[in-house]
Amino acid sequence: MVSIDEVARLAGVSTATVSRALSGRGHVSPASRERVHSAAESLGYVVSSRASSLASGRTRNVGVIVPYLDRWFFSTVLSGATSALMRAGYDITLYNITADAAVRHEVFSTFLRRQRVDAVVAVSIELDADETGQLLDLGLPVIAIGGPNPRLRTLTVDDTAVARLATEHLLALGHHDIAHIGASPEFDMDFHIPTQRRLGFEQALADAGIAPNPAFLEPADFTVDGGFRAAKQLLGRPGPRPTAIFAASDEMAIGAILAARDLGFRVPQDLSIVGIDGHELGEFFQLTTVDQFPLGQGERAARAILAQLEGTDAAPGGDLPYELIVRGTTARRRVGVTSP
């Protein structure tokens, strides 16, 4: 295994200069830095993370806590964060918070206390007072993506406003019989995002003088299959049918598109559909959505953590952007058209 001494001899500099040049910390002339990098590359030298940690007191490792690994939204936020951190030379330790309360407790009480990370990013995890306190006791930079936490720096999306925007788009197109695919109680957990989105939906209807129709509210599980089954219920049961559907996630909206086509409804001629998230398949399905830029959420969280680690940013958290993207699944309500 190549040593730092060999790199120093080949570059004609001291080992201290090699260390400063490869770590990016401390002054090194451009010429010396170039010689060091050239020597390290030619010898195949890789900085030992253990030695670097001993010298700097840093692990060059960031812990990222996520609630799910098999859901598109969370994996996309994770991808944005990890890509930005890795470009900056940081490793990532992933902590998947499961439904097992004992495992979750162990993450905060033991795993994060092993001094193996320099900072923590929490993705859409509603931390209770004890968990928040344990994070703060670590004395490390922490960024939380999701709902507000007055004790932590957070990056938040106003889910009520996001849902209002989606619903107002349908109202502006002349739709009054609007159904909502939300979430069943077991999926309304961290930050109560489904509840916030349903609240925004109902607020938009109330502002338009429309009372929500209980028959037009259908729970699901934030998956394509769940949206498919919920839309089948909304469109297949006897009685009045909606002319539009607002789904609380793009995956459920895609499921609703597939269900509508399966039942012979034309989208958007017979039925308009809008979702939330900015799913990568949205353009393929021509889905109208409110994009909340999940990849960008992860990148922004990573930049905020890196700035704190470098001591260049002590600003509070802030609101995350969102934007209505109008595509081909929404259109003006057609009067007098008989649905299947």
Side-chain angles (χ1 to χ4, degrees):
M1 191 171 181
V2 179
S3 71
I4 192 172
D5 295 308
E6 293 174 80
V7 177
R9 282 196 297 271
L10 182 59
V13 298
S14 68
T15 55
T17 299
V18 173
S19 178
R20 291 197 300 273
L22 296 180
S23 69
R25 293 186 293 271
H27 175 72
V28 179
S29 71
S32 295
R33 188 183 304 277
E34 177 62 29
R35 291 202 306 275
V36 168
H37 281 278
S38 178
E41 184 176 353
S42 66
L43 292 171
Y45 176 75
V46 178
V47 178
S48 165
S49 60
R50 181 174 298 178
S52 178
S53 174
L54 289 172
S56 66
R58 293 275 186 89
T59 65
R60 303 289 295 182
N61 192 3
V62 173
V64 182
I65 309 172
V66 293
Y68 301 100
L69 290 175
D70 59 348
R71 298 290 177 89
W72 173 85
F73 177 82
F74 300 104
S75 64
T76 304
V77 174
L78 178 62
S79 178
T82 56
S83 295
L85 290 169
M86 291 174 69
R87 286 195 301 270
Y90 279 81
D91 292 321
I92 293 92
T93 297
L94 189 61
Y95 300 98
N96 181 202
I97 298 293
T98 70
D100 188 327
V103 172
R104 177 167 177 148
H105 175 75
E106 193 73 6
V107 168
F108 292 95
S109 65
T110 303
F111 295 164
L112 288 171
R113 294 178 174 273
R114 290 173 175 168
Q115 298 183 336
R116 294 177 179 173
V117 298
D118 294 330
V120 177
V121 177
V123 179
S124 296
I125 300 288
E126 187 170 15
L127 305 169
D128 63 27
D130 183 56
E131 291 168 342
T132 300
Q134 290 186 75
L135 277 182
L136 292 172
D137 287 345
L138 296 174
L140 303 175
V142 178
I143 290 288
I145 302 175
N149 186 321
R151 300 173 65 191
L152 296 175
R153 182 176 179 185
T154 57
L155 303 174
T156 62
V157 171
D158 187 337
D159 283 290
T160 302
V162 166
R164 284 180 63 101
L165 180 59
T167 309
E168 287 166 355
H169 170 65
L170 296 174
L171 291 166
L173 292 173
H175 295 281
H176 299 104
D177 299 317
I178 304 173
H180 176 53
I181 300 177
S184 48
E186 63 265 32
F187 295 100
D188 189 16
M189 297 181 292
D190 291 301
F191 302 121
H192 302 289
I193 291 172
T195 295
Q196 295 301 318
R197 292 182 181 176
R198 177 170 170 173
L199 179 62
F201 165 73
E202 293 175 343
Q203 286 179 357
L205 291 184
D207 289 347
I210 300 172
N213 183 343
F216 288 172
L217 302 174
E218 194 68 33
D221 60 358
F222 275 60
T223 66
V224 172
D225 183 59
F228 180 87
R229 287 184 279 105
K232 278 287 188 80
Q233 290 293 318
L234 288 167
L235 301 173
R237 65 168 63 108
R241 296 188 180 95
T243 64
I245 293 177
F246 160 49
S249 78
D250 279 353
E251 289 181 279
M252 293 193 295
I254 290 169
I257 293 171
L258 298 175
R261 292 175 180 173
D262 199 41
L263 291 171
F265 287 82
R266 298 169 300 165
V267 177
Q269 293 91 337
D270 302 322
L271 180 73
S272 285
I273 298 173
V274 64
I276 292 176
D277 279 338
H279 197 284
E280 60 188 355
L281 291 177
E283 189 167 356
F284 176 82
F285 282 96
Q286 280 298 291
L287 175 65
T288 295
T289 185
V290 180
D291 194 343
Q292 55 175 329
F293 311 106
L295 193 71
Q297 289 188 22
E299 292 173 343
R300 181 169 168 182
R303 289 197 302 270
I305 277 291
L306 291 169
Q308 289 190 60
L309 287 168
E310 294 162 6
T312 59
D313 183 17
D319 293 332
L320 292 164
Y322 56 88
E323 179 182 355
L324 176 67
I325 307 295
V326 179
R327 296 194 182 103
T329 60
T330 53
R332 295 200 63 82
R333 179 176 67 93
R334 300 177 68 185
V335 180
V337 175
T338 302
S339 299

